[in-house]
Amino acid sequence: MASFDIVSKVDPQTLENAVNTAKKELQTRYDLRDTKGGIELDKKANTILLTSENSMRVQALENILLGRIVKQGIDGTALDFSAEEQPSGALVKKVVKVRAGVDKEVGRKVIKAIKDAKVKVEAQMQDDQIRVTAKKIDDLQAAIAAVRQASIGQPLQFVNMKS
């Protein structure tokens, strides 16, 4: 049986490089020069903390971070900007989650996209990845094409192709 895994992961070193270059840009930008706060990466929680005096500057920090993430080759949908800004004293904080792993909701979308393509494969969730098996490699390639065409909202990688 031929198989492959669908995963969603971000290279931690590339992410750290993108955050560091965003910090450097923050220091050199004239409109944000005297800004208190900044951009901090929490590797264990897989989050990025944005802090500034007001929500307009937090929005500017988001744009800087997103630009640097994309320039480093990371898909922009790997970041979850949906969290609300939290006022904390004189600063406004926003926690941006880095999406890693395929959660159940995204897994259902992927499996539905594969089933809608009517390809003779079996897809099943395994922790934070999806295993797809078939008798022919051509069916697996059709499943990959179907998943790429579907709008999932999260970057996906196809790994461990075995025949």
Side-chain angles (χ1 to χ4, degrees):
M1 293 285 281
S3 68
F4 70 90
D5 296 330
I6 301 173
V7 297
S8 177
K9 58 185 174 183
V10 176
D11 182 32
Q13 184 62 45
T14 308
L15 180 65
E16 186 175 0
N17 290 343
V19 170
N20 288 337
T21 55
K23 286 181 185 179
K24 287 180 184 176
E25 183 176 341
L26 176 64
Q27 293 171 351
T28 60
R29 288 244 324 232
Y30 180 75
D31 58 339
L32 300 172
R33 182 167 293 159
D34 295 329
T35 301
K36 292 180 174 63
I39 302 172
E40 297 296 323
L41 174 65
D42 185 2
K43 294 179 187 176
K44 291 183 180 177
N46 217 14
T47 60
I48 301 170
L49 178 66
L50 307 174
T51 56
S52 190
E53 289 93 7
N54 56 36
S55 60
M56 187 175 75
R57 287 191 175 174
V58 170
Q59 184 67 35
L61 291 177
E62 284 181 17
N63 293 337
I64 290 171
L65 179 64
L66 187 60
R68 291 298 166 180
I69 291 281
V70 170
K71 282 187 179 180
Q72 289 286 336
I74 299 173
D75 193 348
T77 58
L79 300 180
D80 184 13
F81 290 106
S82 64
E84 293 294 319
E85 298 171 353
Q86 303 291 327
S88 174
L91 297 177
V92 176
K93 296 182 179 182
K94 184 169 186 176
V95 177
V96 178
K97 293 181 182 177
V98 179
R99 295 180 178 152
V102 179
D103 60 350
K104 289 186 179 187
E105 181 181 325
V106 173
R108 284 190 206 116
K109 287 181 184 178
V110 170
I111 292 172
K112 184 177 183 328
I114 291 171
K115 286 184 179 181
D116 289 346
K118 301 205 185 318
V119 182
K120 293 183 180 182
V121 297
E122 288 186 28
Q124 58 185 351
M125 285 288 298
Q126 294 180 344
D127 294 331
D128 60 348
Q129 66 182 13
I130 300 170
R131 171 76 44 97
V132 181
T133 57
K135 292 182 180 179
K136 298 179 184 176
I137 291 182
D138 293 339
D139 293 337
L140 292 179
Q141 291 173 343
I144 290 173
V147 171
R148 284 192 175 145
Q149 287 179 346
S151 61
I152 303 298
Q154 187 171 352
L156 298 173
Q157 293 86 30
F158 307 97
V159 297
N160 295 337
M161 179 74 112
K162 297 175 184 173
S163 58

